[in-house]
Amino acid sequence: MESYNKLLLENKAWAKEKVQDDPDFFSRLTNIQKPDFLWIGCSDSRVPANEITGTQPGEIFVHRNIANMVVHTDLNLLSVLEYAVQVLDVKHIIVCGHYGCGGVKAAMGNNSLGMINKWLRNIKDVYRIHEDEINAIQSEEQRVNKLVELNVREQVTNLAKTSIVQKAWKHKGHPHIHGWVYDLKDGIIKPVFELNANTPLDPIYMYDNL
Ligand code: CO
């Protein structure tokens, strides 16, 4: 059997099982999407948002890209963010990185990889800010993992720098933003950073007419 046909077969089996367990499962979901969480994660196939958090369809609104970046000129991310915050009214945004991230590793190297250089530049900029702290670590694996954590922290802060989040903080008092790191070795998520609504930022990033 072709590999993709297996996916379609598995899908039929999954849909059947869902209805057996809960006859209204799909009719409930067709009528409403009201997730409390926006997930911004890495595209890495080993970090599936629903599976590792034990959540069901309808519970998490998901955006994934290489190395879970929040780039302030990325229309894709910004569209997802605006819809999640303004329309879905999510209460929490989770930026979830993972140890051993290939994007972070590549950004720490000096190989030109083509188009992706431009994306990885955003991670190199995070590295530059924390260069001394990272370079003080002996093991290469630990240096990568330190940048994974610092990168998550930076992306959480990048969310708070957007007018979308600041406007919601001012008028609704949420979302709460969380920075998490998933460990591929044991499947455990470690919270590393968080920003509550209305946490003061560097004043240069604060908008006062929202
Ligand atoms: Co990754």
Side-chain angles (χ1 to χ4, degrees), residues 42-44 46-47 65-68 97-98 100-104:
C42 184
S43 297
D44 193 303
R46 297 164 296 180
V47 196
N65 61 40
I66 292 172
N68 41 272
H98 64 101
C101 182
V104 172

